Amino acid sequence: RVGLPESYELDAAPGFERHAVDECDAAALARLAEERRVDLVVIGPEAPLAAGVSDHLRARGLRVFGPSQAAARLESSKWFAKEVLEAAAVPTARAERHTDRAQAEAALARFASPWVIKADGLAAGKGVLVTRVRSEAAEFLAGCLEGSRFGEGGRAVVIEQHLLGEEVSVMAVCDGEQALLLPPARDYKRAEDGDRGPNTGGMGAYAPASALGPEGERDVMQRIVRPVLREMQRRGTPYRGALYCGLMLTEAGPQVIEFNARFGDPETQSILPLVDGDLGRLLASAAEGSLEPAAVTRGAGAAVTVALVASGYPEAPQRGGRIVGLEHAAAPDLHVFHAGTRWEGGWQVDGGRAAYLTAVARDLASARTRVGLALGTLSGEGWRHRTDIAATAAVGEARALDAAREGR
């Protein structure tokens, strides 16, 4: 409650509490969950998963939705994910792992431009470079392998074959053996309009992504999700939690670009408003190893999410900006999700991605218009956003609807 504006009526929302506990302090989190008699712990960030917080909580007898530390290596080590994909015969890009700068630079000759280079470990969604400029590739390798660009997460790099196609994100709620796919989404990683600028953790998203229809979802389930679950089970590390599949839809079918061991951000902000039913029951059943797919259904319509980010994000985000009007933006068709904000007589920017606006409407064009209207009510300084989230997709959807109406 401390620090929230008077307009936030927490008493009207039982169970909504904030506690100042370090997300990686497993013992403190366990004590808090036990004191508050928590029925289900849902671990959102990647750092506590990589640190083994879920294992500690389960050992204390708590019900946890989130993979074990061993299973979360699907995100915390890109090379481990590649090994799992190869063992499970799941399609993905050819890749090499390197810890030596000279050997990594020499390996560039074995991959065609553009080069795709990734920090092997966690890098807050920013540890990827895609470039046609060899000097940029060499600089990135040096920053990872001989510098401290991503700390321990960059002590090894993975160089990958560049894949052509359309990106899509698919999240599966898994109980170790079975899975339920949520509506597919499309995110925008580049910092600037027109997909320019450096990679970020995500500047916005929309759902559902029409590029992956029902047949494509069945293909993802059969060729990717189920084989990975079987391989993780075979290794003695069953996967219980949200498996985020970052995919490229190529001419040869979907191929895995990356895995996250959690609900991906910002796609989740677009996906969950389109899910009806009892999400808590779904996640609890997965945590118990007995998935109940009927707990939720897919709602109608579409959602568009735009991230409000600090000036200088992602390379040098500046704190202290003000987002004026954000406290009044929420409406039945518009959700405000806070991330890096702080209330000091108004909403202050206190992190790289400060907040998100998600509009839900009958179609993408309407949702995009609605979120644009909401953005127009905001002012202040020290923050920005992309203006082209879902623009191309909305036009494509409108053309498809027109063609369908005309019987073409």
Side-chain angles (χ1 to χ4, degrees), residues 259-320:
F259 284 130
N260 287 342
R262 56 195 164 81
F263 286 118
D265 180 17
E267 295 96 326
T268 303
Q269 288 89 324
S270 289
I271 291 171
L272 291 189
L274 302 180
V275 174
D276 295 332
D278 192 336
L279 181 66
R281 176 182 154 205
L282 177 72
L283 303 188
S285 68
E288 293 172 342
S290 55
L291 188 68
E292 297 183 31
V296 299
T297 58
R298 294 189 185 186
V304 174
T305 297
V306 175
L308 314 182
V309 305
S311 296
Y313 177 80
E315 295 170 328
Q318 303 297 309
R319 295 174 184 259

Side-chain angles (χ1 to χ4, degrees), residues 38-299:
V38 170
D39 295 315
L40 175 67
V41 178
V42 179
I43 302 180
E46 64 271 33
L49 291 171
V53 168
S54 61
D55 302 89
H56 185 91
L57 297 180
R58 286 193 183 95
R60 295 277 286 264
L62 293 163
R63 185 164 51 180
V64 181
F65 180 79
S68 65
Q69 183 180 37
R73 290 186 67 205
L74 284 175
E75 176 171 8
S76 62
S77 171
K78 291 179 176 60
W79 189 247
F80 174 77
K82 286 289 186 184
E83 292 176 331
V84 170
L85 290 168
E86 181 179 0
V90 172
T92 187
R94 178 176 66 89
E96 295 181 13
R97 180 181 185 270
H98 292 277
T99 57
D100 178 81
R101 175 184 174 183
Q103 292 179 1
E105 287 193 27
L108 294 176
R110 295 192 287 274
F111 292 83
S113 172
W115 292 285
V116 180
I117 308 172
K118 302 178 179 180
D120 184 35
L122 298 179
K126 307 178 187 69
V128 179
L129 175 71
V130 181
T131 182
R132 295 181 180 275
V133 182
R134 192 182 184 95
S135 60
E136 290 183 357
E139 181 183 359
F140 187 86
L141 290 172
C144 288
L145 300 177
E146 294 184 351
S148 56
R149 183 162 185 169
F150 302 111
E152 289 302 313
R155 298 305 181 200
V157 297
V158 176
I159 303 175
E160 287 189 355
Q161 167 196 7
H162 183 260
L163 297 176
L164 292 175
E166 184 168 350
E167 288 190 47
V168 67
S169 304
V170 176
M171 297 186 214
V173 175
C174 309
D175 70 359
E177 296 183 4
Q178 302 300 316
L180 173 70
L181 299 188
L182 300 178
R186 169 75 159 84
D187 78 324
Y188 293 74
K189 294 182 175 65
R190 297 284 189 163
E192 307 291 343
D193 283 4
D195 284 332
R196 295 187 299 270
N199 263 27
T200 72
M203 294 294 294
Y206 67 84
S210 60
L212 191 72
E215 184 176 346
E217 289 191 43
R218 286 191 290 271
D219 195 29
V220 168
M221 178 68 86
Q222 294 297 330
R223 297 179 63 199
I224 295 172
V225 175
R226 284 178 179 158
V228 167
L229 291 182
R230 286 195 294 267
E231 176 60 19
M232 296 300 286
Q233 186 89 339
R234 186 189 70 80
R235 291 169 178 247
T237 55
Y239 193 97
R240 291 184 181 178
L243 180 64
Y244 168 112
C245 307
L247 308 175
M248 184 69 77
L249 304 182
T250 72
E251 290 184 353
Q255 297 197 42
V256 176
I257 302 173
E258 65 174 348
F259 284 130
N260 287 342
R262 56 195 164 81
F263 286 118
D265 180 17
E267 295 96 326
T268 303
Q269 288 89 324
S270 289
I271 291 171
L272 291 189
L274 302 180
V275 174
D276 295 332
D278 192 336
L279 181 66
R281 176 182 154 205
L282 177 72
L283 303 188
S285 68
E288 293 172 342
S290 55
L291 188 68
E292 297 183 31
V296 299
T297 58
R298 294 189 185 186

Side-chain angles (χ1 to χ4, degrees), residues 346-393:
W347 285 115
Q348 307 289 310
V349 175
D350 197 36
R353 288 184 290 172
Y356 306 84
L357 297 185
T358 297
V360 181
R362 66 180 183 277
D363 52 43
L364 281 178
S366 300
R368 180 173 149 73
T369 297
R370 179 65 185 90
V371 81
L373 291 173
L375 287 165
T377 67
L378 305 180
S379 60
E381 69 281 331
W383 65 276
R384 63 180 181 84
H385 63 87
R386 278 185 60 162
T387 65
D388 62 346
I389 303 299
T392 302

